Amino acid sequence: MGLKKEEIKVGVEDDRVLHISKERKIEKEDKNETWHRVERSSGKFSKRFRLPENAEIDKIKATMENGGSQRDGS
């Protein structure tokens, strides 16, 4: 299963901590005349990075291609 960029949350919190996270919830339902089955799964990804003191927070950028992320900058 790939990642969709609208499902990824990226932000800066707590004085220079870059936070990247995603949460997924999937529900699959099958039924017929004699049975009914519901499968549920969920998962969460979260990563935090401390930014350097001289980071220009308002200039941070990120892009995502092919289900993965790419950092922009040096």
Side-chain angles (χ1 to χ4, degrees), residues 25-29 38-41:
K25 294 179 182 178
I26 299 171
E27 185 172 302
K28 182 179 176 183
E29 184 175 354
V38 178
E39 294 181 30
R40 293 181 180 94
S41 66

Side-chain angles (χ1 to χ4, degrees), residues 34-69:
T34 59
W35 55 269
H36 181 197
R37 177 181 67 191
V38 178
E39 294 181 30
R40 293 181 180 94
S41 66
S42 63
K44 187 172 185 177
F45 166 83
S46 180
K47 191 75 173 175
R48 287 183 167 85
F49 303 92
R50 168 104 20 220
L51 299 172
E53 297 260 343
N54 62 350
E56 296 182 47
I57 293 172
D58 58 333
K59 294 184 179 179
I60 293 173
K61 295 180 185 179
T63 60
M64 185 172 140
E65 297 178 17
N66 298 327
S69 64

Side-chain angles (χ1 to χ4, degrees), residues 16-32:
R16 298 183 344 270
V17 176
L18 177 65
H19 183 215
I20 303 169
S21 64
K22 180 190 186 304
E23 188 170 353
R24 68 172 174 85
K25 294 179 182 178
I26 299 171
E27 185 172 302
K28 182 179 176 183
E29 184 175 354
D30 292 316
K31 60 183 172 180
N32 67 21

